Amino acid sequence: MKLIATWLIGLLFGLGISVSGMANPAKVLNFFDVAGNWDPSLLFVMGGALAVTFAGYRIVFRRLGAPVFAPRFVLPAARAIDARLVGGSVVFGIGWGIAGFCPGGALPALGTGKADVWLFSAALVAGLLAARATMKLAAGRAAGRAET
């Protein structure tokens, strides 16, 4: 049942991204072109998603003591704005601005079958794996320094 729910949620997200036009990199790039051919639709999509999520979380947290498929809600507790967060944001913004894709927009666009979308998605996964390996290596070195 959990897999079916996961599939339905992914389907809903993909429909929303595609119907709103956010799987089209030109929409994103035009949003960033404030001094030129600016398209504010991304702002509307993000604002609408934030409003729906905010209201949905309030309702779910109030009515459910725990998620349907897990023993408890697991929400991020980290609130620090540190060098890692800022650096990651800058790198994400550079990639988003150059490609016009964020991961949420790229995955539904895989259905177009376009080679550039598949190449972008493969590079995205490679970047995720490289970041994971780098963080694991850094954590291992930090643990080694703590032992000495």
Side-chain angles (χ1 to χ4, degrees), residues 79-130:
R79 301 200 188 284
I81 299 175
D82 55 11
R84 180 178 162 188
L85 175 66
V86 172
S89 299
V90 168
V91 172
F92 175 79
I94 291 170
W96 198 19
I98 291 172
F101 277 124
C102 73
L107 289 177
L110 287 171
T112 64
K114 293 181 178 176
D116 59 336
V117 177
W118 281 90
L119 185 60
F120 172 84
S121 298
L124 173 78
V125 171
L128 291 169
L129 294 174

Side-chain angles (χ1 to χ4, degrees), residues 27-137:
K27 296 284 281 181
V28 175
L29 294 174
N30 284 341
F31 174 76
F32 292 133
D33 189 13
V34 177
N37 194 23
W38 189 57
D39 177 359
S41 58
L42 176 61
L43 189 63
F44 181 78
V45 170
M46 297 283 278
L50 184 62
V52 169
T53 301
F54 178 81
Y57 272 33
R58 303 287 73 79
I59 293 169
V60 167
F61 290 151
R62 190 174 311 130
R63 292 194 177 178
L64 300 176
V68 175
F69 299 114
R72 62 183 175 85
F73 290 106
V74 180
L75 299 174
R79 301 200 188 284
I81 299 175
D82 55 11
R84 180 178 162 188
L85 175 66
V86 172
S89 299
V90 168
V91 172
F92 175 79
I94 291 170
W96 198 19
I98 291 172
F101 277 124
C102 73
L107 289 177
L110 287 171
T112 64
K114 293 181 178 176
D116 59 336
V117 177
W118 281 90
L119 185 60
F120 172 84
S121 298
L124 173 78
V125 171
L128 291 169
L129 294 174
R132 185 177 182 181
T134 302
M135 288 186 288
K136 188 175 182 178
L137 182 65

Side-chain angles (χ1 to χ4, degrees), residues 137-148:
L137 182 65
R141 287 183 179 167
R145 280 193 302 267
E147 291 177 3
T148 59

